[in-house]
Amino acid sequence: MPSVPPGGEPAPADGSLPPDALTGLGTRPFGVYVHVPFCATRCGYCDFNTYTASDLGLTSTDDPASPASWLEGLRRELDLATRVLGSPPPADTVFLGGGTPSLLGAEGLTAVLDAVRATFGLAPGAEVTTEANPESTSPELLAAIAGAGYTRLSLGMQSDVDHVLAVLDRRHTPGAAVAVARAALEAGLRHVNLDLIYGTPTETDDDLRRSLDAVLASGADHVSAYSLIVEDGTALARRVARGELPMPDDDVLADRYEIVDDVLAAHGFGWYEVSNWARTEAARCRHNLGYWSGGDWWGAGPGAHSHVGGVRWWNVRHPARYSKQLGAGESPAEARELLTPADRHVEEVLLHLRTIEGLPQRVLDDDGRAAAEQAVRDGLLDDGSWARGQAVLTRHGRLLADGVAIALTGA
């Protein structure tokens, strides 16, 4: 039996959900997340559920861990999803993450979207995003996926400085992400996001500013910027442990966040979530907004997480096991947890507070309101927004978002 976290339980083999979980399905945002677990190489900082060809020991295209077997498993999981959910709503958003989805090529990316259309269908105006790395794209691929119905590209840029990319074990060169972003817009993709990582050992303030200049020159209308986290078990963590690289400094990370925010704000980007900025409201990532607003989503693929009506579950992690379970007619879900009202309250505070809309005062109990009023006095929540009934983080509060949320929930 798989290990299950406190409050969790083994997932049923048929993937069924408690009837109460389906109440209200379709009244909340509904998205489909597809996890593509394949990468050409592993970046030193990455602890995501990803695998290179050598990791998987692939010997043929029909190997249970191969991309072809993964795609067949994905089709089976999407069929399973429609049976479990009954009459699911069409997907408002679709997001392919990983891993490196662009390694599937135009044909594979089109096949994935066709599978979602054939099962869930797409709502009018659906947002369809794929992640990509600069080195695994081409103008032909971008034109093909735009024609297939993709509307948004999210590029793993991380930095535009040689020595920073080297520390992160990124394969692309400075300028590559900018070129791909421009090509994506020329191909007809409506929105382009560039991911940045700040605080990499050896990075300077000027290095970060160079990367931001590249972002601004690219035409991208969305930026996600994350502080570097040294995750246990990664190659980067081993280098830090050996003393080859310093651990990122919290004060430096805070300063770098402020640089990102200042530069983007000066060029027309507004923050709408702690780590995300967009030129316009239309450029905001609707799929991620579904997560932050308590929506429902089905996560398909190895290690993918799902949430429907207060039930969260997650799939087995290895691609071979994923394909084999689906081939045997079983759900790939490994375990699940049923969120209590208290759990859902904590999540509502944690997630909503990260957004520019903030959290309605009415969500907080007396202790939470008292903690919020203290946070206003401490400059962590905006006093004007609080007077209008919303708890909205100041920029200083954004740097301490999790701590503010914990104070407001008493968790």
Side-chain angles (χ1 to χ4, degrees):
M1 180 180 295
S3 60
V4 182
E9 60 183 31
D14 63 0
S16 59
L17 297 174
D20 289 352
L22 302 181
T23 301
L25 183 64
T27 64
R28 301 176 292 270
F30 183 79
V32 175
Y33 172 77
V34 176
H35 187 72
V36 183
F38 309 109
C39 278
T41 61
R42 181 177 292 279
C43 299
Y45 61 89
C46 179
D47 74 336
F48 295 162
N49 186 43
T50 64
Y51 305 84
T52 66
S54 60
D55 291 334
L56 296 171
L58 300 179
T59 58
S60 67
T61 57
D62 59 356
D63 186 292
S66 70
S69 296
W70 167 85
L71 181 57
E72 181 57 31
L74 176 71
R75 292 187 175 110
R76 288 173 172 165
E77 186 180 1
L78 294 175
D79 285 338
L80 170 70
T82 59
R83 296 195 300 272
V84 168
L85 298 179
S87 298
D92 299 306
T93 62
V94 180
F95 195 107
L96 275 67
T100 310
S102 49
L103 286 176
L104 298 176
E107 183 177 351
L109 292 172
T110 299
V112 170
L113 186 53
D114 285 346
V116 175
R117 277 201 188 93
T119 48
F120 288 100
L122 299 179
E127 175 193 85
V128 183
T129 304
T130 184
E131 293 182 338
N133 280 337
E135 67 274 14
S136 57
T137 60
S138 67
E140 293 76 18
L141 179 147
L142 297 169
I145 65 173
Y150 285 82
T151 65
R152 189 172 180 275
L153 185 74
S154 184
L155 273 171
M157 176 178 175
Q158 320 314 359
S159 177
D160 203 53
V161 178
D162 253 330
H163 71 89
V164 178
L165 292 169
V167 171
L168 296 173
D169 293 322
R170 299 293 291 178
R171 297 179 65 201
H172 65 270
T173 56
V178 171
V180 172
R182 290 172 175 167
L185 294 169
E186 291 173 2
L189 289 157
R190 293 199 290 273
H191 303 291
V192 174
N193 169 65
L194 291 177
D195 275 348
L196 288 177
I197 290 177
Y198 58 87
T200 299
T202 77
E203 180 191 59
T204 66
D205 288 357
D206 285 344
D207 290 333
L208 178 58
R209 291 182 185 280
R210 282 176 58 191
S211 295
L212 288 165
D213 286 345
V215 168
L216 296 171
S218 71
D221 59 1
H222 189 286
V223 178
S224 300
Y226 305 101
S227 63
L228 179 68
I229 298 175
V230 180
E231 301 284 4
D232 290 342
T234 61
L236 179 61
R238 291 190 289 274
R239 294 187 68 187
V240 170
R242 290 194 298 265
E244 296 175 15
L245 295 169
M247 181 70 78
D249 179 87
D250 288 343
D251 290 336
V252 171
L253 293 175
D255 291 343
R256 299 274 165 78
Y257 181 89
E258 292 181 343
I259 290 173
V260 172
D261 192 49
D262 284 341
V263 171
L264 292 178
H267 289 83
F269 285 81
W271 81 279
Y272 71 98
E273 192 274 341
V274 168
S275 299
N276 290 272
W277 292 258
R279 281 195 185 274
T280 64
E281 189 168 339
R284 296 176 180 180
C285 179
R286 287 162 46 198
H287 186 83
N288 287 342
L289 283 168
Y291 295 153
W292 299 321
S293 63
D296 295 324
W297 71 92
W298 190 287
H305 285 60
S306 301
H307 171 266
V308 173
V311 182
R312 182 187 293 113
W313 68 96
W314 49 97
N315 287 347
V316 297
R317 291 173 60 84
H318 198 279
R321 186 178 172 197
Y322 171 80
S323 299
K324 286 177 180 177
Q325 286 190 205
L326 284 157
E330 297 180 2
S331 165
E334 181 174 41
R336 72 182 186 184
E337 56 183 334
L338 311 181
L339 302 179
T340 66
D343 293 333
R344 298 177 79 168
H345 171 69
V346 169
E347 290 206 351
E348 182 178 11
V349 174
L350 283 168
L351 296 173
H352 282 257
L353 193 62
R354 294 183 63 87
T355 68
I356 195 168
E357 285 78 15
L359 183 76
Q361 282 184 23
R362 57 178 169 73
V363 171
L364 300 172
D365 59 19
D366 290 344
D367 290 341
R369 282 191 290 274
E373 288 165 359
Q374 181 61 52
V376 171
R377 291 191 291 271
D378 292 340
L380 302 173
L381 292 177
D382 179 70
D383 55 354
S385 298
W386 183 250
R388 294 188 294 273
Q390 293 289 116
V392 178
L393 294 167
T394 61
R395 185 162 78 172
H396 183 50
R398 281 184 262 158
L399 294 170
L400 303 167
D402 289 347
V404 177
I406 289 170
L408 269 55
T409 61

